[in-house]
Amino acid sequence: MSIPGVTDFGYFVMAVLLLNATPGPDTAFIVGRSVAQGRAAGLTSALGISAGCCVHAVAAALGLSALLATSATAFTLIKLAGGIYLMYLGLRMLLTRATVEGVPAKTSTARPLRVIFWQALVTNLLNPKVVLFFLSFFPQFVNPNATGKTLSFLILGVVFVLMSTGWNCGTALVSGTLARRAGSSQRARLWLERCVGAAFIALGARIAFARS
């Protein structure tokens, strides 16, 4: 398949598939919301993550990601903000579930879908690894001699977002279905969400305090 300004498109597709299969903060958020509120919340989270990826793709195409990566102060601030936000979400999940153990999950942690969407969007936008991913990964598949590099970046961004959205929606459906089957056991559901909350805290700490 020939796309103007894009090289090795087949390898790009395979790489995106492998990257999507690697769990990270976005996957943890989607699974967490799917477990807490079901498939609709998980799908909303997936759409929020995709919206964040759209912002990153446009920023990379316009050169904003390069500007951000060259500023140590900006990178550090975003890294800390993203890590702290993830830890906040995980701690809130742990504390909320601990105080309402005897209450059905859907009534204790239910959040409006619009809130879930924005939380997912912020989670993605404040993940500095996503910024560096777009900055370091995409240029490998853009012809340096191409005249319209911005368009090439945008094309790759669209492909990435579409593939990621499909993968994340599948993750939400599977997670929501498994959680629904375990819904009859409040204790099992409680510990499942606690595990997700702990994973949020661990991921947040790793992002916030990792060496740049």
Side-chain angles (χ1 to χ4, degrees):
M1 184 175 182
S2 177
I3 299 178
V6 176
T7 61
D8 299 321
F9 181 72
Y11 289 109
F12 175 81
V13 172
M14 289 189 292
V16 172
L17 286 174
L18 293 175
L19 288 167
N20 281 324
T22 304
D26 293 343
T27 301
F29 187 91
I30 293 170
V31 172
R33 285 299 93 208
S34 299
V35 170
Q37 289 183 236
R39 290 174 290 188
L43 291 173
T44 302
S45 300
L47 294 179
I49 296 297
S50 296
C53 289
C54 288
V55 175
H56 285 300
V58 173
L62 298 179
L64 296 180
S65 293
L67 177 63
L68 177 62
T70 56
S71 173
T73 301
F75 178 81
T76 300
L77 290 176
I78 289 184
K79 180 175 67 174
L80 288 175
I84 291 172
Y85 184 72
L86 279 176
M87 288 188 287
Y88 161 75
L89 291 178
L91 185 61
R92 180 175 177 179
M93 185 179 295
L94 288 175
L95 294 178
T96 300
R97 296 298 297 166
T99 58
V100 293
E101 183 170 350
V103 180
K106 290 187 178 181
T107 60
S108 62
T109 59
R111 302 174 190 172
L113 294 182
R114 65 178 182 277
V115 174
I116 294 175
F117 177 88
W118 286 109
Q119 284 183 338
L121 174 64
V122 172
T123 298
N124 182 267
L125 290 179
L126 292 182
N127 187 349
K129 291 186 177 181
V130 179
V131 177
L132 293 181
F133 165 76
F134 277 91
L135 179 65
S136 61
F137 182 69
F138 277 37
Q140 300 180 40
F141 300 94
V142 175
N143 188 339
N145 298 320
T147 56
K149 294 185 180 64
T150 299
L151 178 60
S152 301
F153 274 111
L154 290 176
I155 292 174
L156 293 177
V158 169
V159 173
F160 177 86
V161 170
L162 290 176
M163 293 180 63
S164 298
T165 300
W167 180 275
N168 290 334
C169 286
T171 300
L173 291 174
V174 172
S175 302
T177 299
L178 293 177
R180 186 175 183 180
R181 292 180 179 178
S184 58
S185 173
Q186 292 299 325
R187 183 175 296 275
R189 193 178 188 118
L190 170 65
W191 283 105
L192 181 59
E193 189 166 348
R194 281 178 173 173
C195 289
V196 175
F200 264 54
I201 295 175
L203 285 168
R206 182 175 181 180
I207 290 175
F209 303 112
R211 295 180 179 178
S212 58

